[in-house]
Amino acid sequence: MKLRKASAAVAAALVLSVTATACGGDSSKDSGSGSGGGGKIKIGIKYDQPGLGLKEPGGSFAGFDVDVATYVAKELGYGPDKIEWVETKSADRENALARGDVKMIAATYSITDERKQKVDFAGPYLLAHQDLLLKADSDIAEGTDLNGKNLCSVAGSTSAQNVKDSIAPKANLKQYSGYSECIAALQSGAVDAVTTDDSILAGFAAQSQYKGKFKLAGLKLSNENYGIGVKKGDSATLDKINKALEKMVKDGAWDKAVQDNFGPANYKNEPAPKIGNVVK
């Protein structure tokens, strides 16, 4: 009798197991590939970059990086209401991914060999170029007269060092935590130039309060390949993001995002880069 009862119990357990699997109880299924598993996805962006990543007064978010990340998240199974935007400053991007604070980062995150030692990159999804933003009446000639002048950049970025290495080794570097602080310093005269990617500078210059006050120097001091950063070794997420980016370009959503965010600034963007093609 005891043996029969045990056999019946085992049989019942097997039936329950099969039933659970048939009803979608497979715990190995990736929650990011369907409806997002009912949870949310945390995405790191900038909060202070008009045209790219900006937190607006009403609490909404706008910009090219935001549009790209929103499209990618949807392809991973997360609608706009399932996205939690997390402010990720330049100096903290690698740490935010390593800590697991965010699943991915789309924050004007240039792909470099040094950064690839710490994180993995999907993309690139935009090719920008480093430039200088000057006051409209500045007499700095194409960025060549920056020696002895005050040059502003953001802590954690590579832009200022590029300028010092290439055209102005004696420029006085001023570093702030955000680009908006650099722009305010340029407007007040506390600095003579701001350096970062032309896409970022164009976004600021196009804002209504700054219209006509600034100009781009028109330099192409570097190639900035924007990638979406993920935690080192997360190849599954990386592959899904790359497929989403390819689809975004193919269906025209990438071109629309460029026009929506950079069109007002008359920004001359490069064509959509090919996934994996990092321009040196």
Side-chain angles (χ1 to χ4, degrees):
M1 290 294 294
K2 288 183 179 179
L3 182 57
R4 263 183 210 157
K5 286 182 180 178
S7 298
V10 170
L14 286 171
V15 170
L16 286 173
S17 176
V18 171
T19 302
T21 302
C23 292
D26 182 4
S27 62
S28 66
K29 185 177 180 180
D30 183 1
S31 63
S33 63
S35 63
K40 290 194 173 185
I41 185 169
K42 293 183 178 181
I43 303 178
I45 58 170
K46 295 292 181 64
Y47 275 20
D48 64 346
Q49 292 181 353
L52 287 149
L54 182 69
K55 184 176 183 180
E56 298 182 318
S60 60
F61 298 89
F64 183 71
D65 285 347
V66 173
D67 288 349
V68 170
T70 299
Y71 187 101
V72 168
K74 183 179 179 181
E75 292 300 305
L76 267 61
Y78 299 89
D81 61 326
K82 298 296 185 182
I83 299 173
E84 182 178 337
W85 301 109
V86 179
E87 183 176 21
T88 314
K89 294 184 179 294
S90 295
D92 195 45
R93 288 177 295 202
E94 288 81 22
N95 290 331
L97 287 169
R99 291 191 303 259
D101 296 346
V102 293
K103 185 68 171 177
M104 68 180 80
I105 294 178
T108 58
Y109 205 178
S110 297
I111 301 171
T112 67
D113 290 338
E114 181 180 1
R115 288 170 179 164
K116 285 195 294 184
Q117 300 301 312
K118 300 177 182 178
V119 304
D120 286 334
F121 285 99
Y125 64 90
L126 183 72
L127 176 60
H129 304 286
Q130 186 185 342
D131 202 351
L132 297 174
L133 189 67
L134 311 167
K135 277 193 170 182
D137 60 355
S138 174
D139 58 359
I140 295 175
E142 297 184 354
T144 59
D145 300 330
L146 276 173
N147 285 316
K149 301 290 181 66
N150 294 322
L151 173 66
C152 190
S153 188
V154 169
S157 74
T158 58
S159 301
Q161 192 59 48
N162 286 344
V163 171
K164 290 178 72 69
D165 290 344
S166 59
I167 61 173
K170 296 182 180 179
N172 301 318
L173 176 59
K174 305 289 184 181
Q175 290 188 313
Y176 294 141
S177 62
Y179 291 108
S180 56
E181 297 172 62
C182 279
I183 300 299
L186 179 61
Q187 185 180 29
S188 70
V191 299
D192 302 292
V194 179
T195 185
T196 187
D197 305 348
D198 51 10
S199 56
I200 298 172
L201 298 174
F204 277 105
Q207 285 188 293
S208 57
Q209 67 267 38
Y210 297 134
K211 209 163 187 180
K213 296 182 178 180
F214 301 134
K215 64 181 180 182
L216 287 165
L219 305 179
K220 290 188 177 182
L221 298 176
S222 68
N223 294 316
E224 305 298 332
N225 301 268
Y226 290 175
I228 295 180
V230 301
K231 190 173 183 177
K232 191 71 177 174
D234 189 358
S235 57
T237 300
L238 193 72
D239 291 343
K240 291 175 184 177
I241 294 174
N242 279 330
K243 288 178 181 177
L245 292 174
E246 288 176 340
K247 183 178 178 181
M248 187 178 186
V249 172
K250 187 175 181 179
D251 68 15
W254 187 90
D255 285 325
K256 184 178 185 302
V258 169
Q259 184 58 38
D260 288 347
N261 294 289
F262 300 130
N266 198 30
Y267 173 64
K268 307 299 182 184
N269 66 283
E270 299 277 4
K274 183 179 180 181
I275 299 301
N277 183 26
V278 177
V279 180
K280 298 295 186 178

